[in-house]
Amino acid sequence: MSDTPGQKSPGTMSYSKWKSLKLPPDRRRVLSGVQPSGKLHLGNYFGAIRQHIASQDEDAERFIFIADYHSMTTVTDGAQRRALTLDVALDYLALGLDPAKTTFFRQSDVPEVHELAWMLACVTNTGLIEKAHSFKDKIAKGIEPSVGLFTYPILMASDILIYRSNWVPVGDDQVQHLELTRDMAGKFNRAYGEVFPLPQALLVEAGAKVPGTDGQKMSKSYGNTIDIFAEGKALKKSVMGIVTDSTPLEGAKDPTTCTIFALYQLFATQDETDALAAMYRAGGMGYGTAKSMLLEKIDERFGPARERRRELAGNLDYVEGVLRAGAARARAEAEITMGLARKAAGL
Ligand code: ADP
Ligand code: TRP
């Protein structure tokens, strides 16, 4: 297992390479999870959600779930969890997740995931889990060091293995969890027989680290986010708050070190990006102008999704129906795996 976040491992494939593969029928399942632990932001969008949604039409079978059990490591209010879970459901559906193409469900609607987590815990060395940097990172941020937070990678492995998933699109902060998952699957298979395929992480290159308004990695823990569904005054406030250097308006500016430019690039075409870079280098343009151009891009990209989100929020029965239908499909798959795992383990 690598000790460095994001270090390339045999269980990792770039998303662009993956797209060019012809997947055999038994290697088609793609699964990812998203924690309902706060408002989704541009980092989540470009680093995760976009891939979850955009690749629905490819020759693969998709599972996306809302990791509400996982959120218990940080969110300790039931009503808040329910609201955050609904938020993620609305966000994904508004952004284009098609429930006919993607099995979309709540983690807690498939409680068998805990039964498998126990089986996996019993083939996991404590030393391996102790190496997980996400635990250290989270306690460094002041999150309560509960046993649940410590064993989080085991539940995550169970999320993946219970659907016999082949590909897991994740940000590079999650690559180590995928390595742990492969380790657990391998150990289980060696002990009891081949039950689990070894899943691979699918890594996104573009937008791998979206900067926040202060130039650090965008993260809800740093208070530097631009939320996907922010609009109007609130959105303007976030964008205008992006920290820049103090080059005067008339001075030539360096696009490569500017956060506004880095964000603009994510939305713009190559020609538009080149044009803005030329404006930076020529001088005579203030950062305020670049911020307004970025704002326009954000509105353009997410405007239609905001409308859809409002409609969905007025039709919660439909949303609940989608999650329930997804859970029924997911649970049927989980039951198949559990049948194999129980039999193999002599239970
Ligand atoms: P946060 O840092 O806001 O708590 P999470 O850790 O919940 O975000 O991240 C959820 C998903 O979004 C992960 O797959 C992660 O890799 C991705 N992600 C989060 N922030 C960024 C970012 N700034 N750039 C790229 N991807 C990100
Ligand atoms: N740990 C992931 C995150 O914090 C969320 C997650 C839970 C997940 N289980 C998963 C992602 C299974 C992919 C597959 O972002």
Side-chain angles (χ1 to χ4, degrees), residues 186-207:
K187 272 213 182 127
F188 187 99
N189 288 349
R190 281 192 294 282
Y192 297 117
E194 290 291 317
V195 173
F196 303 112
L198 297 194
Q200 275 184 262
L202 272 187
L203 276 185
V204 198
E205 306 95 281

Side-chain angles (χ1 to χ4, degrees), residues 41 43-44 47-48 171 173 207-210 217-220:
H41 52 71
N44 300 139
D173 56 323
K209 218 172 233 183
V210 177
K217 181 187 169 188
M218 188 177 287
S219 167
K220 61 183 168 297

Side-chain angles (χ1 to χ4, degrees), residues 204-249:
V204 198
E205 306 95 281
K209 218 172 233 183
V210 177
T213 52
D214 59 357
Q216 283 195 82
K217 181 187 169 188
M218 188 177 287
S219 167
K220 61 183 168 297
S221 342
Y222 303 146
N224 64 358
T225 60
I226 300 176
D227 295 339
I228 301 174
F229 287 97
E231 56 185 315
K233 269 193 195 148
L235 176 62
K236 191 163 181 196
K237 191 165 170 230
S238 304
V239 172
M240 293 303 159
I242 296 173
V243 178
T244 58
D245 65 24
S246 51
T247 313
L249 190 141

Side-chain angles (χ1 to χ4, degrees), residues 69-261:
Y69 281 138
H70 277 289
S71 75
M72 294 186 78
T73 56
T74 49
V75 176
T76 53
D77 180 302
Q80 192 190 1
R81 184 172 351 278
R82 204 166 294 121
L84 288 169
T85 301
L86 176 63
D87 269 343
V88 174
L90 290 171
D91 290 353
Y92 266 74
L93 291 170
L95 288 166
L97 182 139
D98 178 352
K101 294 180 181 158
T102 298
T103 299
F104 186 44
F105 61 105
R106 268 181 300 248
Q107 184 186 29
S108 61
D109 283 337
V110 189
E112 289 83 354
V113 75
H114 293 294
E115 184 186 353
L116 181 59
W118 171 253
M119 295 187 192
L120 297 174
C122 294
V123 294
T124 306
N125 198 299
T126 50
L128 203 67
I129 298 294
E130 274 162 11
K131 279 172 93 175
H133 37 72
S134 76
F135 179 72
K136 292 176 219 159
D137 293 349
K138 286 184 178 170
I139 53 176
K141 284 182 193 164
I143 295 173
E144 168 109 12
S146 64
V147 173
L149 189 67
F150 184 64
T151 60
Y152 181 116
I154 303 176
L155 183 57
M156 177 159 166
S158 179
D159 289 328
I160 296 168
L161 299 176
I162 203 164
Y163 304 108
R164 302 182 310 287
S165 314
N166 306 116
W167 309 99
V168 186
V170 282
D172 64 359
D173 56 323
Q174 299 291 319
V175 167
Q176 196 189 37
H177 287 150
L178 256 293
E179 290 169 359
L180 290 166
T181 303
R182 288 164 64 88
D183 192 273
M184 288 175 221
K187 272 213 182 127
F188 187 99
N189 288 349
R190 281 192 294 282
Y192 297 117
E194 290 291 317
V195 173
F196 303 112
L198 297 194
Q200 275 184 262
L202 272 187
L203 276 185
V204 198
E205 306 95 281
K209 218 172 233 183
V210 177
T213 52
D214 59 357
Q216 283 195 82
K217 181 187 169 188
M218 188 177 287
S219 167
K220 61 183 168 297
S221 342
Y222 303 146
N224 64 358
T225 60
I226 300 176
D227 295 339
I228 301 174
F229 287 97
E231 56 185 315
K233 269 193 195 148
L235 176 62
K236 191 163 181 196
K237 191 165 170 230
S238 304
V239 172
M240 293 303 159
I242 296 173
V243 178
T244 58
D245 65 24
S246 51
T247 313
L249 190 141
E250 59 281 3
K253 299 177 180 63
D254 181 0
T256 61
T257 55
C258 178
T259 305
I260 311 165
F261 187 81

